[in-house]
Amino acid sequence: MMPGPTPVPEAALLALAKHPIGHRTKQFSEILAEVTANLKWLHQTENDVLMLNVSGTGAVEAGIINFLSSGDRILVGANGKFGQRWVEVSQAYGLNVETITAEWGKPLDPSVFAQQLQADTQKQIKAVVITHSETSTGVLNDLETINRHVKEHGTALIIVDAITSLGVVNVPVDTWGLDVVVSSSQKAYMTPPGIGFVCVSAKAWEAYQTAKLPKYYLDLGQYRQAAAKDTTPFSPPVNLVVALQVTLRMLKEEGLEAIFTRHERLKNATRAAIKGLNLPLLVEDSFASPALTAVVPQTIEADKIRSFLKQRFDLELAGGQDHLKNKIFRIGHLGFVSDRDILSCIASLEVALAELGYTNFIPGAGVAAASKVLSTAVDS
Amino acid sequence: MMPGPTPVPEAALLALAKHPIGHRTKQFSEILAEVTANLKWLHQTENDVLMLNVSGTGAVEAGIINFLSSGDRILVGANGKFGQRWVEVSQAYGLNVETITAEWGKPLDPSVFAQQLQADTQKQIKAVVITHSETSTGVLNDLETINRHVKEHGTALIIVDAITSLGVVNVPVDTWGLDVVVSSSQKAYMTPPGIGFVCVSAKAWEAYQTAKLPKYYLDLGQYRQAAAKDTTPFSPPVNLVVALQVTLRMLKEEGLEAIFTRHERLKNATRAAIKGLNLPLLVEDSFASPALTAVVPQTIEADKIRSFLKQRFDLELAGGQDHLKNKIFRIGHLGFVSDRDILSCIASLEVALAELGYTNFIPGAGVAAASKVLSTAVDS
């Protein structure tokens, strides 16, 4: 129950174990063509969706550096570990970064972006970088509104870290006109870590033409050229691509609406359960990410709960990062997670809480609250 | 029988299919610690050996850009597709590149490096980049001699693409004082593509301190810091690392000497067979790589032979690249390749040659020549 690597279905694990085929073969090109078509479907886009052999961080870096030049002014939203990382990436490349922060656990304020963008009458802001679902806290930032302000600005690109939002909540790339959308395999894709995805609009490709930051392995132009011939510029992680073929078929069969509804249901059930256990949630309902839920156990060290669950039930939850270390635990409910997984997680958590001396709950109250949400959801 | 992805042993394929464990767990840290120790053994070094989630190209790029600044003068050897790629990488970052070329299929001339290095009394040459085994042609460049010239220069770093030489021929990193040595998982490691390795000397780390090329995902300093705590800075390709744990144990059990002897034997058997079939070899004996053998079938299109072998025997050989396309085919014999694989490959090739109208050989002559080498080798 981690927010990444997320659970991988058996069919994908078995696909991983297939002997790697040559990546310059017709057979592999056919796989790439199918995978690419399904990636476009998942992104709701006609834009290019490129695959890189990198982690999510590498993919976001590619999504930033391919479209900018040293000294370019950009706005970066930072309300958690990952938003902060995109600030660091941008600074490492000598970009003129204006960081728009919010407290960890709170959402970015779209009006601050609006102010900066409206004040930029010289059109010097070249890009706005937003982490849609902040995995370190479980905040879902209001990408739709922030993007509307970017569109009003007219020239800035919108670059989105959608690592734990794509395939979880609606990210209609073409309808919203998102220029760069980044995701990675070990999240909603239900595939192990090792592939990063970068979706690029025509407007972003235009910016690419004049962008001067140095790059080679992360040069998306090379990936685009190769993808047009159903191949890759460098050796791809063949086994992971073959597993991805399997999981994308599963996602497509489920359908976008069903995928979004499922994640919404798991979020609601988890949050109801935590409330039923009288434990504080880090993030308010109105901007909670359907990818994961962060819990603040206050009187008990978060890492003690995690250790207990690991040892007693072989159940892994994520901890807090940086100043939230040992203050929160994070329940991942994105990707290959079922209603029963949520029930089992909450039931195990109840045992952990009781064993660790937390008494402020009625045994069974968490499971009951989750069950209620899950039953209602299926009935409706 | 490709020079990458190379065959993967069953035990590693099954390890790939294990469910990915969390990369921030004690369990994964223990795996990283073991893998790192075995990587150092394979590199014959006490230097850091870092793992990146990239292809070989990404790893070589990291091996270059972490130690240099824009405008730095470097020498790059280019006698094939990959040497040429490292020229392109270096140029993309604004380095002052002097390319030392040789015809594809011929080795780099160490004396040209010696001349340039000796003439550089101002010590402006910051690094020399060498592709040890050039995979596009099967030439093994004389790294030992070129490195001796670099050492005489005194200040330049030696940066080695050892992608198809490490774990194939002797690359004694510490004995030779190699500063940066790059390799990747889908070669002698017998693991699918997706992990790049960069081995870094103390002298290279010193250069890192003042190197100014921009980087983040490829910033080796981040990997070093994390590795000191048995972890990784970004999500690692967990499944591939678990498979690598298995194959490194196999390599260690075999032993370095046995590994080198095996590759030498397979090279000799393959070359004897091709000579027995009266087909020209692209590369002379004295600088032939034990990783792969390129054959020039002259009167028959190389790609017709490859197609025949693929369709009739499900046997994949690599083709030529760029101007060698359709002129050569390449037999990979590195990694998880046995004596019997060579016999089976040569026997199949004989069928292909006969079917495609090549008559300049006595049927069975290729297999007989290979058998002779293999028998003698085992007897001795």
Side-chain angles (χ1 to χ4, degrees):
Chain A
M1 301 289 285
M2 305 271 289
T6 64
V8 178
E10 188 183 66
L13 291 172
L14 294 175
L16 270 176
K18 287 188 183 176
H19 201 282
I21 57 175
H23 54 284
R24 300 295 179 220
T25 59
K26 188 160 165 276
Q27 198 186 347
F28 190 69
S29 286
E30 286 167 2
I31 294 169
L32 277 183
E34 177 190 325
V35 162
T36 301
N38 286 342
L39 287 171
K40 289 186 182 191
W41 164 80
L42 186 65
H43 285 73
Q44 307 179 56
T45 192
E46 296 298 318
N47 291 343
D48 294 306
V49 185
L50 307 169
M51 274 192 281
L52 283 68
N53 180 11
V54 291
S55 80
T57 297
V60 174
E61 180 170 332
I64 295 173
I65 69 171
N66 274 270
F67 309 105
L68 296 166
S69 302
S70 181
D72 275 355
R73 185 173 167 211
I74 66 171
L75 306 183
V76 183
N79 58 331
K81 176 90 177 165
F82 291 97
Q84 191 52 44
R85 185 174 284 179
W86 315 143
V87 172
E88 289 171 18
V89 168
S90 305
Q91 288 171 339
Y93 279 86
L95 297 171
N96 176 6
V97 184
E98 212 157 316
T99 309
I100 295 177
T101 58
E103 200 185 320
W104 287 33
K106 304 280 184 232
L108 295 169
D109 180 354
S111 71
V112 181
F113 288 87
Q115 282 163 27
Q116 296 289 334
L117 288 160
Q118 282 158 17
D120 179 39
T121 52
Q122 307 279 315
K123 305 297 176 193
Q124 288 183 325
I125 298 174
K126 300 296 181 197
V128 176
V129 180
I130 298 295
T131 301
H132 190 190
S133 167
E134 175 51 76
T135 314
S136 64
T137 59
V139 165
L140 188 73
N141 284 309
D142 185 357
L143 173 62
E144 189 174 6
T145 304
I146 295 171
N147 178 55
R148 205 157 52 228
H149 297 311
V150 176
K151 290 286 165 281
E152 285 159 9
H153 178 272
T155 61
L157 297 173
I158 177 93
I159 298 174
V160 182
D161 162 1
I163 290 175
T164 56
S165 71
L166 196 97
V168 174
V169 294
N170 192 23
V171 186
V173 173
D174 286 0
T175 306
W176 288 0
L178 302 175
D179 294 304
V180 180
V181 177
V182 178
S183 54
S184 67
S185 55
Q186 79 277 24
K187 308 294 184 179
Y189 291 97
M190 311 186 290
T191 298
I195 313 178
F197 306 92
V198 191
C199 176
V200 183
S201 74
K203 182 176 169 185
W205 282 124
E206 218 170 283
Y208 171 87
Q209 296 304 327
T210 54
K212 288 195 185 67
L213 289 178
K215 56 201 170 279
Y216 191 88
Y217 185 66
L218 297 181
D219 182 346
L220 295 176
Q222 298 209 54
Y223 291 85
R224 184 193 205 185
Q225 272 190 5
K229 292 180 273 183
D230 290 329
T231 184
T232 59
F234 316 118
S235 300
V238 172
N239 299 56
L240 291 171
V241 174
V242 170
L244 178 67
Q245 182 186 30
V246 171
T247 57
L248 281 172
R249 283 180 187 174
M250 290 173 67
L251 288 170
K252 199 161 179 195
E253 189 163 331
E254 184 176 5
L256 286 179
E257 275 312 312
I259 291 168
F260 303 150
T261 306
R262 168 167 59 89
H263 283 96
E264 186 68 15
R265 182 173 76 240
L266 298 184
K267 175 193 79 170
N268 289 336
T270 306
R271 295 178 67 83
I274 299 300
K275 288 175 191 169
L277 297 171
N278 301 311
L279 286 175
L281 292 156
L282 179 67
V283 171
E284 280 177 28
D285 285 353
S286 54
F287 41 85
S289 171
L292 71 148
T293 297
V295 182
V296 192
Q298 291 185 316
T299 53
I300 316 169
E301 286 177 47
D303 289 351
K304 280 201 178 153
I305 297 173
R306 292 175 57 226
S307 300
F308 182 93
L309 290 172
K310 172 67 186 160
Q311 282 166 29
R312 182 69 180 78
F313 296 116
D314 197 22
L315 174 66
E316 274 180 32
L317 301 183
Q321 291 166 300
D322 295 355
H323 66 274
L324 292 180
K325 218 174 177 124
N326 211 10
K327 303 285 183 218
I328 63 167
F329 61 85
R330 292 175 295 150
I331 303 171
H333 36 71
L334 79 163
F336 190 60
V337 177
S338 68
D339 289 8
R340 196 178 69 187
D341 290 329
I342 298 294
L343 292 174
S344 130
C345 172
I346 298 300
S348 308
L349 177 61
E350 289 197 13
V351 175
L353 292 170
E355 288 278 344
L356 294 169
Y358 175 76
T359 53
N360 187 26
F361 75 109
I362 299 163
V367 171
S371 305
K372 196 174 163 193
V373 171
L374 296 172
S375 312
T376 315
V378 171
D379 288 350
S380 68
Chain B
M1 301 289 285
M2 304 271 289
T6 64
V8 178
E10 188 183 66
L13 291 173
L14 294 175
L16 270 176
K18 287 188 182 175
H19 201 281
I21 56 175
H23 54 284
R24 300 295 179 221
T25 59
K26 189 161 165 273
Q27 197 185 347
F28 191 69
S29 286
E30 287 167 3
I31 294 170
L32 277 184
E34 178 190 324
V35 163
T36 300
N38 286 343
L39 287 171
K40 289 186 182 191
W41 164 80
L42 186 66
H43 285 73
Q44 307 180 55
T45 192
E46 296 298 318
N47 291 343
D48 293 306
V49 186
L50 307 170
M51 275 193 279
L52 283 67
N53 181 10
V54 292
S55 80
T57 297
V60 174
E61 180 171 332
I64 295 173
I65 69 170
N66 274 270
F67 310 105
L68 297 165
S69 302
S70 181
D72 275 355
R73 186 174 167 210
I74 66 170
L75 307 182
V76 183
N79 58 333
K81 176 88 176 166
F82 291 97
Q84 191 52 44
R85 184 175 284 179
W86 315 143
V87 172
E88 288 171 19
V89 168
S90 305
Q91 288 171 338
Y93 279 86
L95 297 172
N96 176 5
V97 184
E98 212 157 317
T99 309
I100 295 177
T101 58
E103 200 185 321
W104 287 34
K106 304 280 183 232
L108 295 168
D109 180 354
S111 73
V112 180
F113 289 87
Q115 282 162 27
Q116 296 289 334
L117 288 161
Q118 282 159 17
D120 178 38
T121 51
Q122 306 280 314
K123 306 297 178 194
Q124 288 182 325
I125 298 174
K126 300 296 181 197
V128 176
V129 180
I130 298 294
T131 301
H132 190 192
S133 167
E134 176 51 77
T135 314
S136 64
T137 60
V139 166
L140 188 73
N141 285 309
D142 185 357
L143 174 62
E144 189 173 6
T145 304
I146 296 171
N147 178 56
R148 205 158 51 229
H149 298 312
V150 176
K151 290 285 165 283
E152 284 159 11
H153 178 272
T155 61
L157 297 174
I158 177 94
I159 298 174
V160 182
D161 162 3
I163 289 175
T164 55
S165 70
L166 196 97
V168 175
V169 294
N170 192 22
V171 186
V173 172
D174 285 0
T175 306
W176 287 0
L178 303 174
D179 294 304
V180 180
V181 177
V182 178
S183 54
S184 67
S185 56
Q186 79 277 24
K187 308 293 184 179
Y189 291 96
M190 311 186 291
T191 299
I195 312 179
F197 306 92
V198 191
C199 176
V200 183
S201 74
K203 183 178 168 183
W205 282 124
E206 218 170 284
Y208 170 86
Q209 296 302 327
T210 54
K212 288 195 186 67
L213 289 178
K215 56 201 170 278
Y216 191 88
Y217 185 67
L218 297 180
D219 182 345
L220 295 176
Q222 297 209 54
Y223 291 86
R224 184 193 205 186
Q225 272 191 3
K229 292 180 274 183
D230 291 329
T231 184
T232 58
F234 315 118
S235 301
V238 172
N239 299 58
L240 292 171
V241 174
V242 170
L244 178 67
Q245 182 186 30
V246 171
T247 56
L248 282 172
R249 283 179 187 174
M250 289 173 67
L251 288 170
K252 201 163 178 192
E253 190 163 331
E254 184 176 6
L256 285 178
E257 274 314 310
I259 290 169
F260 304 150
T261 306
R262 168 166 58 90
H263 284 97
E264 185 69 15
R265 182 173 77 241
L266 298 184
K267 174 193 80 171
N268 289 336
T270 305
R271 295 178 67 83
I274 299 300
K275 288 174 190 170
L277 297 172
N278 301 312
L279 286 175
L281 292 156
L282 179 68
V283 172
E284 280 177 28
D285 285 353
S286 53
F287 41 85
S289 171
L292 71 148
T293 298
V295 182
V296 193
Q298 291 185 316
T299 53
I300 316 169
E301 286 177 47
D303 289 351
K304 280 201 178 154
I305 297 174
R306 292 174 58 225
S307 299
F308 182 93
L309 290 172
K310 172 67 186 160
Q311 282 166 30
R312 182 68 180 79
F313 296 115
D314 197 22
L315 174 65
E316 274 179 33
L317 301 183
Q321 291 166 299
D322 294 354
H323 66 274
L324 291 180
K325 217 173 177 125
N326 211 10
K327 303 285 184 219
I328 63 168
F329 61 85
R330 294 175 294 151
I331 303 171
H333 36 71
L334 78 163
F336 190 60
V337 177
S338 68
D339 289 9
R340 197 178 69 188
D341 290 329
I342 298 294
L343 292 174
S344 131
C345 173
I346 298 301
S348 308
L349 177 61
E350 289 197 13
V351 175
L353 292 171
E355 289 278 343
L356 294 170
Y358 175 76
T359 53
N360 188 25
F361 75 108
I362 300 162
V367 171
S371 305
K372 195 173 165 196
V373 172
L374 296 173
S375 312
T376 316
V378 171
D379 289 348
S380 68

